[in-house]
């Protein structure tokens, strides 16, 4: 079994990793080890070895060597001699801020229970095991349960914590992280995925140094700017070799990922809800459950880390109804029409799209209230009768009549001042008393912490799902929270707002996905502003970025792939000149980038030339023929667009059996008289022989991986390239040849 217990020592084993902790002499929990799997032993004297350090407090007078600041702690408290940032912090009614959680008991169970009210992982397999460690602080009468679930085959451990007030007094929980890890050295690079709107999840890699390095969000959403996915890798670790720890948080709101490097060169990693703007009043009997943190380790490089974590999300987080299901090729009218459409325009687009093999039509913003621009109507989720006089159900029936699926855009969490909803319920808007409201995209946030709001939205959305038989919903969120405050909460609970807001969002998502299990949700937040595991638990795919430019998308999708599998990434071909960059790229290149995700088109196909339509038809057919490989194949990053001058990027997908693969190499600008470029493939079987489509040779897998494939320079005579040699893409379709 994956969890081995012996006398106050707990050894969590996955196929390739070990995580070991123990009860220390002071009754609190200490960490021993996390890394490559090691033998189970009754004790590990070397892992507890310590030296006495000068000028720092010790636990007891007679134990000068037991110094909290030098301990590897499992879930550290504040104020008792460990001066690193703690995992939690509690204030008692008398104003004191000290807690001591002593180990009481453990529980082991097969499988895993979901968390109530929060997105969480699940397991049906017998080989998944959950360990709960119960701890108690007798002074404040608080119990702490630390939960660990071990997923052996993906080398993943999921952690969370819950606090229960068993006493008679109300306590304040000021900080409640999901996971703490104390690594014995800090010789790692911090890999974060940072950016902005239209430039999401660019890789930033920098060595750890003394002090605290942190990323996080206080925007009420996980954000475009930073992502909860984080990696710590040895400086020599690359895509195919070396050690790396992967971390993520199953949460969509304010988060914190932090690494603190202390005076002794150790690294403390804390992951959880951002303690800024957080506080939770724990009344007698009440429990607070943190979101789940995901931890994973490999010594086989970053591709392996992304693959094992991605496989874990697909098996144990994403709705099983959709996880492996083929995602439809869609057309979305947003960049094609923006707000300017009527039924005839939409059905014309749908009808042309159908002829090209597209499978779903998605009606984006502008179909409700009286919305002709972004200043009005959010909250009024009824059809804009002047634009669509026959209603949404009628339009949906027409689209369904063309044998296309039909999807609809909502932005449930928002409200416009110019809306019937605001006129009826101004108190539903997030607003601080006596303060001006700060607008964002001309709109305001609705108070998801108010259960009446959740009920209202459920009523509106479920009605449309039923009336129009929706197959898909794009759930957008186009601004961040300001003046965070809910009139439904007393003053003493206002610091709960940001988390209660998220609980309201999750409740609405949970109710809709439970009651309408066949509706596919795609999450969105001005593109990729909430591309996180909390959303993925309900919406199996997300709109990766509002930036549809093929060159920009290279970095965005490459960066995103470190933390998330490609089947979570919505990727569309749009018209040129591109609306975000003005760049003109060949339609083949736009498609070659979008293939490595959930393919869609986002343009007015009725305006496409005959040649463009022919190209789209060919692309859709090609994608469908290889859909499983593109969406579910093992994804390998080959050449990083973040390396060097960023002129080249390449990646590859490989089928589970290693028999089929597609690789793509993208080149931004074409330079004259170039070096001899080779593309080194990955994930093939060394002894298997393969053919590359359009090439007469037969290659062994080891040859393609180690010797690589020659990529000839683009020049006048190159077939298929007619206009510019810039912004090019080469696709290699690789299939095993029967032995
Ligand atoms: C956001 C989304 C876009 C589109 C618009 C509609 O920006 O990211 O895809 O839906 O809103 O207003």
């Amino acid at each position: 079994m994956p969890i081995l217990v012996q006398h106050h020592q707990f050894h969590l084993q996955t196929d390739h990793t070990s995580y070991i902790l123990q009860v220390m002499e002071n009754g609190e929990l200490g960490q021993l080890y996390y890394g490559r799997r090691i033998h189970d032993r009754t004790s590990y004297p070397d892992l507890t070895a310590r030296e006495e350090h000068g000028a720092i407090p010790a636990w007891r007078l007679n134990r000068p060597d037991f110094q909290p600041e030098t301990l590897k702690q499992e879930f550290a408290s504040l104020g008792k001699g460990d001066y690193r940032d703690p995992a939690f912090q509690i204030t008692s009614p008398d104003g004191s801020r000290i807690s001591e959680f002593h180990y009481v008991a453990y529980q082991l169970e097969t499988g895993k229970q979901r968390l109530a009210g929060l997105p969480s992982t699940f397991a049906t397999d017998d080989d998944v095991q959950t360990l709960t460690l119960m701890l108690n602080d007798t002074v404040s009468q608080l119990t702490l349960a630390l939960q660990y679930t071990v997923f052996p085959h993906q080398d993943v451990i999921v952690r969370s914590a819950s606090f229960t007030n068993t006493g008679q007094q109300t306590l304040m929980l000021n900080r409640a992280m999901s996971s703490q890890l104390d690594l014995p050295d800090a010789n790692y690079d911090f890999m974060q995925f940072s950016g902005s709107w239209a430039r999401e999840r660019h890789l930033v890699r920098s060595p750890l140094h003394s002090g605290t390095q942190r990323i996080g969000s206080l925007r009420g959403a996980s954000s475009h700017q930073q992502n909860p996915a984080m990696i710590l890798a040895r400086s020599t670790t690359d895509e195919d070799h070396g050690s790396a720890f992967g971390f993520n948080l199953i949460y969509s709101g304010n988060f914190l990922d932090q690494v603190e490097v202390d005076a002794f060169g150790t690294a403390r990693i804390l992951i959880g809800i951002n303690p800024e703007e957080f506080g939770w009043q724990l009344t007698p009997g009440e429990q607070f459950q943190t979101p789940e943190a995901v931890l994973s380790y490999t010594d086989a490089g970053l591709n392996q880390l992304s693959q094992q974590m991605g496989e874990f999300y697909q098996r144990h987080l994403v709705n099983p109804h959709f996880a492996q299901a083929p995602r439809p090729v869609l057309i979305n009218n947003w960049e094609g029409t923006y707000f300017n459409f009527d039924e005839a325009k939409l059905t014309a687009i749908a009808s042309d799209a159908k002829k090209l093999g597209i499978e779903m039509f998605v009606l984006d913003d502008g179909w409700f209230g009286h919305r002709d621009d972004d200043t009005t109507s959010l909250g009024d989720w009824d059809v804009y009768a002047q634009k669509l006089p026959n209603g949404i159900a009628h339009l949906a029936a027409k689209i369904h009549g063309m044998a296309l699926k039909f999807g609809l855009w909502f932005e449930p969490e928002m409200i416009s001042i110019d809306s019937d909803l605001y006129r009826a319920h101004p108190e539903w808007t997030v607003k601080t008393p006596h303060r001006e409201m700060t607008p964002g995209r001309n709109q305001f946030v609705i108070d998801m912490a108010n259960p009446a709001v959740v009920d209202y939205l459920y009523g509106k959305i479920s009605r449309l799902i039923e009336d129009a038989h929706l197959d898909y919903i794009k759930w957008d969120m186009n601004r961040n929270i300001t003046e965070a405050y809910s009139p439904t909460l007393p003053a003493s609970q206002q610091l709960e707002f940001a988390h209660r807001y998220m609980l309201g969002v999750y409740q609405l998502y949970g109710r809709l996905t439970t009651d309408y299990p066949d509706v596919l949700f795609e999450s969105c937040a001005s593109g990729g502003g909430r591309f996180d595991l909390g959303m993925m638990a309900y919406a199996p795919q997300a709109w990766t970025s509002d930036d549809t430019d093929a060159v920009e998308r290279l970095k965005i999708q490459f960066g995103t792939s470190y933390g998330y599998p490609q089947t979570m990434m919505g990727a569309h071909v749009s018209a040129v000149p591109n609306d975000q960059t003005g760049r003109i790229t060949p339609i083949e290149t736009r498609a070659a980038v979008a293939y490595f995700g959930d393919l869609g088109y986002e343009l007015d196909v009725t305006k496409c030339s005959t040649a463009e339509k022919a190209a789209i038809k060919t692309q859709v057919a090609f994608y469908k023929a290889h859909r499983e490989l593109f969406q579910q194949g093992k994804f390998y990053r080959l050449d990083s667009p973040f390396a060097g001058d960023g002129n080249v990027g390449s990646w590859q997908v490989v089928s589970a059996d290693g028999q089929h693969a597609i690789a793509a190499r993208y080149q931004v600008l074409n330079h004259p008289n170039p070096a001899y470029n080779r593309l080194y493939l990955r994930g093939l079987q060394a002894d298997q022989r393969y053919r590359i489509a359009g090439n007469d040779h037969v290659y062994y897998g080891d040859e393609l991986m180690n010797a690589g494939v020659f990529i000839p320079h683009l020049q006048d005579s190159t077939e298929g390239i007619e206009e510019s040699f810039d912004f090019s893409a080469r696709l290699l379709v690789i299939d095993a040849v029967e032995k």
Side-chain angles (χ1 to χ4, degrees):
M1 283 312 253
I3 299 178
L4 308 161
V5 182
Q6 38 187 332
H7 192 64
H8 287 187
Q9 178 181 295
F10 306 91
H11 187 163
L12 284 50
Q13 276 190 335
T14 68
D15 289 354
H16 306 100
T17 71
S18 285
Y19 183 112
I20 311 172
L21 66 155
Q22 53 147 209
V23 182
M24 300 186 291
E25 334 166 22
N26 64 356
E28 298 182 21
L29 291 176
Q31 244 162 36
L32 292 182
Y33 174 75
Y34 186 29
R36 170 114 201 157
R37 183 164 157 164
I38 58 177
H39 281 94
D40 191 46
R41 311 244 334 246
T42 46
S43 72
Y44 295 89
D46 248 52
L47 293 176
T48 47
R50 269 187 299 274
E51 286 170 327
E52 193 180 322
H53 291 269
I56 55 172
W59 174 47
R60 293 285 183 264
L61 286 172
N62 60 352
R63 287 304 310 279
D65 63 317
F66 197 83
Q67 298 171 300
E69 193 169 341
T70 64
L71 301 176
K72 279 155 51 60
Q73 310 229 38
E74 186 63 18
F75 210 66
S77 67
L78 172 89
K80 294 193 299 118
D82 182 347
Y83 294 97
R84 292 165 291 182
D85 276 1
F88 65 94
Q89 201 267 303
I90 291 146
T91 306
S92 295
D94 65 3
S96 66
R97 298 166 312 283
I98 301 299
S99 328
E100 274 174 82
F101 279 106
H102 290 150
Y103 171 76
V104 179
Y106 77 92
Q107 270 168 24
L108 263 185
E109 61 181 301
T110 302
K112 175 181 182 297
Q113 292 176 21
R114 286 183 188 259
L115 302 184
L118 279 168
S120 59
T121 53
F122 57 87
T124 41
D125 342 8
D126 285 351
D127 48 8
V128 171
Q129 253 193 328
T130 300
L131 170 71
T132 306
L133 300 176
M134 305 299 300
L135 300 105
N136 194 14
D137 179 31
T138 46
V139 176
S140 62
Q141 294 189 291
L142 197 60
T143 62
L144 166 64
L146 296 180
Q147 294 119 351
Y148 303 80
T149 303
V150 179
F151 296 87
H153 309 317
Q154 289 91 35
D155 292 317
V156 162
I157 295 170
V158 167
R159 286 186 60 176
S160 70
S162 76
F163 297 83
T164 309
N165 184 350
T166 56
Q168 301 304 318
Q169 297 183 311
T170 296
L171 304 166
M172 264 311 279
L173 190 54
N174 301 112
R175 165 190 276 258
M177 303 306 284
S178 298
S179 169
Q180 172 184 330
L181 184 66
D182 280 1
L183 291 176
D185 76 76
N187 301 321
Y188 291 95
D189 287 349
F190 187 117
M191 295 175 68
Q192 65 194 71
F193 305 95
S194 308
S196 70
W197 173 77
R199 210 160 28 74
E200 293 92 338
R201 289 172 299 285
H202 281 209
L203 168 65
V204 180
R205 179 172 180 163
S206 46
L208 290 178
H209 53 80
S210 176
T212 301
Q213 286 112 95
R214 54 160 73 181
I215 52 170
S217 167
L218 286 171
R219 294 167 184 268
S222 49
S223 88
H224 296 92
Q225 286 73 12
Q226 303 294 352
N227 190 274
M230 170 179 88
I231 295 172
L232 291 185
R234 293 294 190 195
S235 61
T236 49
T237 297
D238 62 20
E239 294 296 353
D240 306 310
H241 317 91
S243 295
F245 291 94
F247 305 92
N248 211 329
L249 186 68
I250 304 179
Y251 196 59
S252 315
N254 296 345
F255 76 94
L256 177 69
D257 289 357
Q258 166 173 317
V259 186
E260 182 174 357
V261 179
D262 72 356
F264 305 109
T266 74
R268 168 168 295 176
I269 298 114
L270 292 170
I271 312 271
I273 293 179
N274 199 324
E276 282 287 322
E277 279 292 292
F278 171 82
W280 202 270
Q281 190 180 279
L282 268 184
T283 52
E286 199 184 342
Q287 187 182 57
F288 181 83
Q289 169 68 56
T290 73
E292 291 180 340
V294 182
L295 285 71
S296 191
Y297 170 82
T298 183
D299 59 6
L302 297 166
N303 272 323
Q304 174 61 35
L305 185 71
S306 302
Q307 286 164 9
Q308 69 196 34
M309 294 184 86
E311 183 187 314
F312 169 71
Y313 305 142
Q314 289 301 103
R315 282 177 189 268
H316 298 288
L317 178 73
V318 171
N319 178 354
H321 190 70
F322 288 107
Q324 314 295 328
R327 308 288 168 77
V329 179
L330 64 84
I331 187 152
N332 175 306
N333 73 309
W334 178 241
E335 286 198 21
T337 67
Y338 293 105
F339 293 104
N340 186 17
F341 57 80
D342 56 18
E343 190 179 302
K345 177 85 223 172
L346 299 177
T347 48
I349 293 176
S351 151
D352 274 12
K354 173 70 192 173
K355 287 180 205 142
L356 304 181
I358 289 171
E359 298 161 314
M360 178 160 77
F361 175 81
V362 178
L363 172 53
D364 210 278
D365 195 355
W367 58 265
F368 51 92
H370 59 106
R371 187 152 161 107
D372 289 313
D373 56 36
D374 63 19
T375 62
T376 79
S377 306
L378 293 166
D380 295 347
W381 302 110
D382 296 302
V383 72
Y384 185 178
Q386 270 147 283
K387 242 189 223 182
L388 299 171
N390 302 316
I392 296 290
H394 176 85
L395 172 67
K398 272 185 137 172
I399 304 284
H400 284 140
M402 298 177 196
L404 282 170
K405 291 175 189 281
F406 179 69
L408 196 59
W409 180 96
F410 287 89
E411 199 180 357
E413 300 155 70
M414 297 293 150
I415 189 164
S416 305
I417 297 280
D418 179 6
S419 68
D420 291 344
L421 185 66
Y422 187 81
R423 285 182 280 274
H425 286 292
E427 78 284 4
W428 282 6
T429 313
V430 173
K431 175 184 189 330
T432 291
H434 317 299
R435 304 283 170 191
E436 288 289 314
M437 300 193 295
T438 305
R441 205 200 189 201
N442 299 305
Q443 66 196 48
F444 298 90
V445 182
I446 200 167
D447 182 3
M448 297 297 290
N450 180 349
V453 168
V454 174
D455 285 344
Y456 166 81
L457 291 169
Y458 177 83
K460 288 285 179 194
I461 299 172
S462 60
R463 177 127 193 231
L464 270 150
I465 294 177
E466 292 189 14
D467 287 357
H469 304 290
L470 300 183
D471 301 295
Y472 161 108
I473 287 178
K474 177 174 170 188
W475 178 323
D476 211 337
M477 194 247 189
N478 277 316
R479 63 155 292 177
N480 293 143
I481 296 175
T482 53
E483 292 84 34
Y485 187 95
S486 172
T488 62
L489 295 171
S492 58
Q493 285 182 277
Q494 284 299 334
L495 279 172
E496 298 176 13
F497 172 75
H499 185 56
R500 286 192 183 274
Y501 176 95
M502 280 322 310
L503 294 179
V505 171
Y506 292 143
Q507 200 199 24
L508 182 56
Y509 250 124
R511 283 171 68 179
L512 290 168
T513 49
T514 304
D515 293 350
Y516 304 101
D518 295 330
V519 179
L520 172 64
F521 282 78
E522 175 153 352
S523 84
C524 176
S526 293
R530 213 162 52 177
F531 200 107
D532 60 62
L533 298 178
M535 288 290 120
M536 298 302 175
Y538 305 98
Q541 58 191 62
W543 183 221
T544 314
S545 176
D546 274 347
D547 195 336
T548 51
D549 175 78
V551 173
E552 295 292 310
R553 272 286 182 137
L554 260 188
K555 282 189 173 160
I556 295 169
Q557 291 176 209
F558 199 96
T560 305
S561 78
Y562 283 94
Y564 305 90
Q566 74 274 16
T567 189
M568 290 183 175
M569 299 185 216
H572 299 176
V573 173
S574 62
V576 289
N578 178 269
D579 273 3
Q580 293 79 35
T581 60
R583 192 174 284 128
I584 298 178
T585 55
I587 195 163
E588 288 74 20
T589 302
R590 281 172 270 154
V593 175
Y595 287 154
F596 292 81
D598 302 317
L599 177 68
Y601 288 79
E602 182 143 346
L603 38 72
D604 181 350
V605 71
T606 65
K607 291 188 184 149
C608 288
S609 66
T610 313
E612 283 171 326
K613 282 187 178 166
I616 295 175
K617 194 170 183 177
T618 310
Q619 291 165 3
V620 173
F622 173 73
Y623 183 78
K624 284 181 180 168
H626 300 285
R627 176 172 5 212
E628 196 183 338
L629 186 53
F630 279 128
Q631 295 181 352
Q632 303 288 346
K634 261 192 191 178
F635 188 90
Y636 287 86
R637 290 174 296 270
L638 306 179
D639 295 302
S640 173
F642 297 104
D645 61 2
N647 200 46
V648 168
S650 62
W651 53 45
Q652 183 192 354
V653 284
V654 183
S655 64
D657 62 5
Q659 302 287 295
H660 308 283
I662 300 181
R665 181 182 188 274
Y666 311 91
Q667 179 178 276
V668 180
L669 296 181
N670 196 36
H671 297 303
N673 204 17
Y676 286 108
N677 291 310
R678 303 191 80 78
L679 183 62
Y680 298 93
L681 302 180
R682 289 286 169 262
L684 303 175
Q685 291 172 2
D687 299 328
Q688 173 68 53
R689 298 192 316 149
Y690 295 88
R691 227 183 249 291
I692 301 177
N695 174 333
D696 296 336
H697 307 298
V698 173
Y699 304 86
Y700 280 104
D702 56 7
E703 207 182 328
L704 291 173
M705 293 189 287
N706 299 311
V709 187
F710 176 56
I711 303 289
H713 178 220
L714 291 174
Q715 45 199 332
D716 280 352
S717 56
T718 309
E719 230 179 285
I721 301 273
E722 275 158 23
E723 287 151 14
S724 161
F725 300 134
D726 293 336
F727 317 128
S728 63
R730 316 279 184 95
L731 276 181
L732 275 60
V733 180
I734 304 137
D735 288 298
V737 180
E738 288 194 18
K739 287 193 182 154

